[in-house]
Amino acid sequence: MRRDPVVIIVVAMVVSVMLIAGVYKSRRSPDQIPAGPSLKGQLAPDFALQSLDGKTVHLSDFRGKAVLLNFWATWCQPCKIEMPWFADLQKQYAAEGLQVIGIAMDEASPEDIGKFAKDLGVNYPVLVGKEAVGDAYGGVQFLPATFYIGRDGKVVDKVFGLKGRGEIESAIKKALAQGQAVQAQK
Amino acid sequence: MILISASNYLCRRAMRFPQKLATNLLLLTCLAVTQDIPGKRIPSVSMSPPPLITITRGKRGTVDLHFRVDAGFHINSNTPKSEFLIPTVLKLTAPTDIVVGKVIYPHGEQMSFPFAPEEKLSVYSGVFILGVVVRPLVSVVPGKYAFHGQLKYQACDKAACYPPKQLPVDFQVKIAKGSTAHKKNPGQSPHVHK
């Protein structure tokens, strides 16, 4: 069958216009989540948060390690799926310099948060979140939200929503590799 | 004129072209992919304005409130299966001398989601109806009365969850005098003193 170039061009133009219009509309949509500042490649904002046992923990305490920073809540069912994976991956990559940190964006009491985390086998520090910290990370408007931070303290990747274990592990490897050269020079 | 002729020509050509279907499919796929990205949209629950219900004073009536959860989202039912999940709860304040009785919540749909295929959650999705039992006391002056409140809910999609939200709930009820108002026996009235 002979393809008419005029029709192909017109179809391509129509598709392009509709796609651009769709993207524009979705950006303008009033119920869309506003995009926060992109943190990729930037220094992860430092914070001071209380751990469940009342200690003050700073992100900067973990400089030199790759950090998986996971925002979660007890009311978030998808968060429950990945937390045991994080616990496994913490064990698996601890020797290579991984530190998983959970930040509970919750109104539940620290006791309830602790019980919830313990039931899921969490073996990493869980901190009681504050809205200001969420805002510093671009406004964590839904959970789970996970930031992968390299050894140099820079954000390597950010992932919103539940992802597969394989994707999480790949991002951990990227974070472990990030800043390794800097580390070696020191 | 030239433009109209040109567009007619192109339309006739395009209509004959079998790639039109493929193009439409491609476009739909693109849109579907955009819609499926978790967190791309903020979930919302809306309430349809209920019709004005008339309730006779001294008697009980039920007002049905119709809520709609945005497509692609679900919210926990009033009785979620875990103590940590946030139930959907309607809280109302009533005008003086009108008693708001219990809120009748529907049973949640037992649904499983890709994030936990083996676990069933009790949720509302699409349209769900809450019944509000209202009983005006006999002392209420007939007329229209406004009820205000909030529906607290917490929504998720198939890969992410959103912080709890509150939807303002407002509706009116007409209180009628009723045709069978009993006549007081003047002799038994507490205001009558012999």
Side-chain angles (χ1 to χ4, degrees):
Chain A
M1 191 178 71
R2 201 176 71 85
R3 296 192 173 174
D4 189 333
V6 176
V7 174
I8 290 172
I9 290 166
V10 169
V11 168
M13 280 172 65
V14 168
V15 170
S16 306
V17 167
M18 289 177 88
L19 279 174
I20 290 165
V23 169
Y24 178 76
K25 185 179 173 290
S26 74
R27 282 193 180 155
R28 291 289 302 263
S29 174
D31 64 352
Q32 190 203 4
I33 290 177
S38 174
L39 290 172
K40 262 190 182 180
Q42 293 182 27
L43 267 184
D46 198 10
F47 53 73
L49 292 173
Q50 299 281 305
S51 65
L52 294 179
D53 53 5
K55 289 178 191 155
T56 301
V57 177
H58 299 84
L59 177 66
S60 50
D61 297 342
F62 301 97
R63 189 62 58 84
K65 289 192 166 194
V67 173
L68 184 161
L69 192 63
N70 172 237
F71 290 84
W72 65 280
T74 52
W75 41 260
C76 166
Q77 283 292 103
C79 301
K80 270 176 75 177
I81 305 303
E82 59 182 17
M83 286 164 74
W85 297 343
F86 292 149
D88 283 351
L89 293 162
Q90 171 66 81
K91 253 189 248 168
Q92 192 179 335
Y93 290 97
E96 291 178 45
L98 174 69
Q99 181 60 60
V100 179
I101 301 171
I103 298 184
M105 302 298 281
D106 227 297
E107 285 173 14
S109 67
E111 291 75 29
D112 282 347
I113 294 169
K115 180 181 177 291
F116 185 92
K118 192 181 169 197
D119 288 350
L120 293 172
V122 166
N123 55 359
Y124 49 83
V126 171
L127 313 178
V128 180
K130 285 182 186 165
E131 210 173 306
V133 175
D135 289 345
Y137 279 80
V140 180
Q141 296 182 53
F142 55 95
L143 301 171
T146 304
F147 293 80
Y148 296 87
I149 301 163
R151 295 174 196 269
D152 55 1
K154 289 182 180 170
V155 176
V156 174
D157 207 354
K158 59 177 183 177
V159 173
F160 294 128
L162 176 66
K163 299 290 172 194
R165 187 181 163 136
E167 280 177 79
I168 294 169
E169 196 164 356
S170 301
I172 287 174
K173 285 177 181 167
K174 262 166 64 182
L176 285 166
Q178 172 87 24
Q180 214 153 27
V182 177
Q183 185 81 356
Q185 282 169 9
K186 284 182 184 174
Chain B
M1 193 66 188
I2 294 168
L3 276 174
I4 293 168
S5 304
S7 72
N8 283 343
Y9 166 79
L10 290 172
C11 284
R12 279 199 305 275
R13 287 295 218 22
M15 290 297 284
R16 275 182 266 145
F17 201 66
Q19 279 186 336
K20 186 175 174 249
L21 182 64
T23 306
N24 287 339
L25 284 174
L26 173 73
L27 189 64
L28 284 173
T29 310
C30 291
L31 289 172
V33 166
T34 313
Q35 292 280 313
D36 270 1
I37 296 169
K40 196 71 186 162
R41 295 179 300 137
I42 294 173
S44 78
V45 175
S46 53
M47 187 182 86
S48 313
L52 186 64
I53 301 281
T54 302
I55 299 173
T56 305
R57 60 185 183 178
K59 294 192 172 173
R60 191 176 298 204
T62 303
V63 181
D64 285 341
L65 302 176
H66 292 240
F67 295 92
R68 175 183 287 278
V69 182
D70 275 359
F73 298 100
H74 61 270
I75 63 175
N76 295 313
S77 76
N78 179 246
T79 51
K81 292 195 166 179
S82 157
E83 59 174 313
F84 291 107
L85 296 178
I86 296 170
T88 296
V89 176
L90 176 64
K91 285 194 175 158
L92 290 168
T93 51
T96 311
D97 288 346
I98 300 179
V99 179
V100 172
K102 68 172 182 177
V103 176
I104 303 161
Y105 294 92
H107 291 295
E109 296 169 70
Q110 306 299 305
M111 290 176 76
S112 57
F113 295 92
F115 53 74
E118 285 164 22
E119 191 178 354
K120 295 240 175 188
L121 299 178
S122 174
V123 302
Y124 300 143
S125 61
V127 174
F128 67 97
I129 301 167
L130 302 187
V132 180
V133 177
V134 173
R135 189 172 64 83
L137 302 182
V138 284
S139 56
V140 175
V141 178
K144 282 184 193 170
Y145 287 85
F147 291 69
H148 305 284
Q150 286 182 322
L151 182 80
K152 188 176 179 188
Y153 65 92
Q154 188 269 306
C156 295
D157 59 28
K158 62 186 182 182
C161 288
Y162 302 78
K165 283 181 84 174
Q166 294 195 337
L167 172 74
V169 171
D170 300 294
F171 62 92
Q172 286 192 328
V173 170
K174 189 175 174 187
I175 308 298
K177 196 173 180 184
S179 54
T180 55
H182 69 278
K183 289 176 184 169
K184 285 180 181 171
N185 180 348
Q188 291 176 347
S189 167
H191 301 294
V192 176
H193 301 284
K194 287 185 180 174

